[in-house]
Amino acid sequence: FHKTSLIVALRHPIDFFRSYYNFRHYHKYPNFQFDDPNELIGPCSDETMSVCTDHARFHEYLAKFGKTNMTSTEELNLLKILTKGKKHPKDYEIPSKILLVEQGQMIDDTELFRQDLKSFLNLQYDLPPMEPPTRTSLDKFPDAEKREGFIDICEEKHKDVRAELLQNGKDAAQWIREFFMASEDVFVSSRDDFLERLKSWEVDPCDHV
């Protein structure tokens, strides 16, 4: 599997947390219920079923591909995973090529994006336009009782969670931009467009609601 090309899709950490929290709440109801999502700030535990703000520190998962040096103080300061008793990410190093995609690029689905995807996968044929999602929220979550615990992440009471997720987004965007994308094994479609989307991770989307 070491020759497999990988496609990794990412999204804004605040949007990711909202979506994952509501997904877990619905599908694990009534076992997953947190009256105050502020309880989920920090690392995950068995009780939180992988829902926590640290789960949105995407760069710490990407670091495990071993594509960066992880020797500079600046890079190490962005990572929390280099703690005593844990394997160094370089121990996981794999030679796979990685195409990094921001979710918005898939949603916009430009011809250039499809061409870059074709090139990365070494396909001999053009990719057709992606099918737009047709399922509504009610289609995915039809049970009204289970939906009662869904959060609106933009509510004022969730500002501390958003602040933590926003910092995670800033750290992830910086690490991806300055370190991960410097690897010859890491590719992105439309570099300027990708970087602009990464920059949006440094802004609270709720400020524009």
Side-chain angles (χ1 to χ4, degrees):
F1 101 101
H2 63 285
K3 294 183 179 180
T4 302
S5 295
L6 304 176
I7 300 173
V8 179
L10 305 170
R11 65 197 298 188
H12 194 298
I14 290 177
D15 187 41
F16 165 79
F17 182 88
R18 172 202 56 77
S19 176
Y20 196 35
Y21 179 100
N22 290 342
F23 176 86
R24 277 290 197 221
H25 178 86
Y26 189 89
H27 290 287
K28 295 296 183 179
Y29 181 88
N31 298 318
F32 179 85
Q33 295 192 61
F34 287 86
D35 295 330
D36 183 5
N38 288 326
E39 299 175 42
L40 302 173
I41 293 176
C44 295
S45 67
D46 291 339
E47 183 183 17
T48 69
M49 300 183 186
S50 297
V51 181
C52 66
T53 55
D54 275 12
H55 204 170
R57 293 184 61 79
F58 304 137
H59 53 307
E60 295 185 344
Y61 295 94
L62 295 173
K64 292 183 179 181
F65 286 118
K67 300 300 184 184
T68 66
N69 292 327
M70 281 176 276
T71 54
S72 72
T73 300
E74 184 180 14
E75 179 178 9
L76 296 178
N77 285 340
L78 292 170
L79 301 169
K80 292 181 180 178
I81 52 177
L82 300 179
T83 56
K84 186 177 181 180
K86 290 189 176 183
K87 291 181 68 176
H88 193 284
K90 294 294 283 186
D91 294 338
Y92 299 95
E93 187 171 1
I94 61 173
S96 297
K97 305 292 185 182
I98 298 171
L99 176 65
L100 200 58
V101 177
E102 211 280 338
Q103 186 187 50
Q105 293 181 298
M106 294 190 295
I107 294 173
D108 290 349
D109 187 28
T110 64
E111 182 176 351
L112 178 58
F113 174 73
R114 293 195 299 274
Q115 286 297 320
D116 287 341
L117 188 57
K118 170 187 174 181
S119 176
F120 177 74
L121 296 174
N122 291 317
L123 300 178
Q124 301 303 310
Y125 55 88
D126 291 336
L127 291 169
M130 297 184 184
E131 292 289 334
T134 57
R135 297 176 67 200
T136 66
S137 181
L138 287 179
D139 291 331
K140 292 183 287 186
F141 308 113
D143 191 318
E145 181 180 2
K146 293 181 180 179
R147 292 199 310 269
E148 288 181 0
F150 280 12
I151 60 169
D152 176 355
I153 195 67
C154 290
E155 290 183 347
E156 178 67 15
K157 62 184 178 181
H158 302 317
K159 65 179 182 180
D160 291 341
V161 173
R162 294 202 310 275
E164 182 73 13
L165 291 166
L166 198 59
Q167 186 59 55
N168 290 347
K170 291 177 180 178
D171 291 347
Q174 180 181 353
W175 182 84
I176 290 170
R177 184 173 56 245
E178 297 180 9
F179 300 101
F180 198 57
M181 289 176 62
S183 169
E184 62 182 14
D185 288 339
V186 176
F187 304 85
V188 298
S189 174
S190 305
R191 182 183 178 89
D192 289 343
D193 174 64
F194 179 84
L195 290 174
E196 191 64 27
R197 294 176 190 272
L198 270 191
K199 191 175 180 180
S200 74
W201 291 11
E202 302 175 8
V203 178
D204 187 343
C206 297
D207 289 344
H208 305 290
V209 174

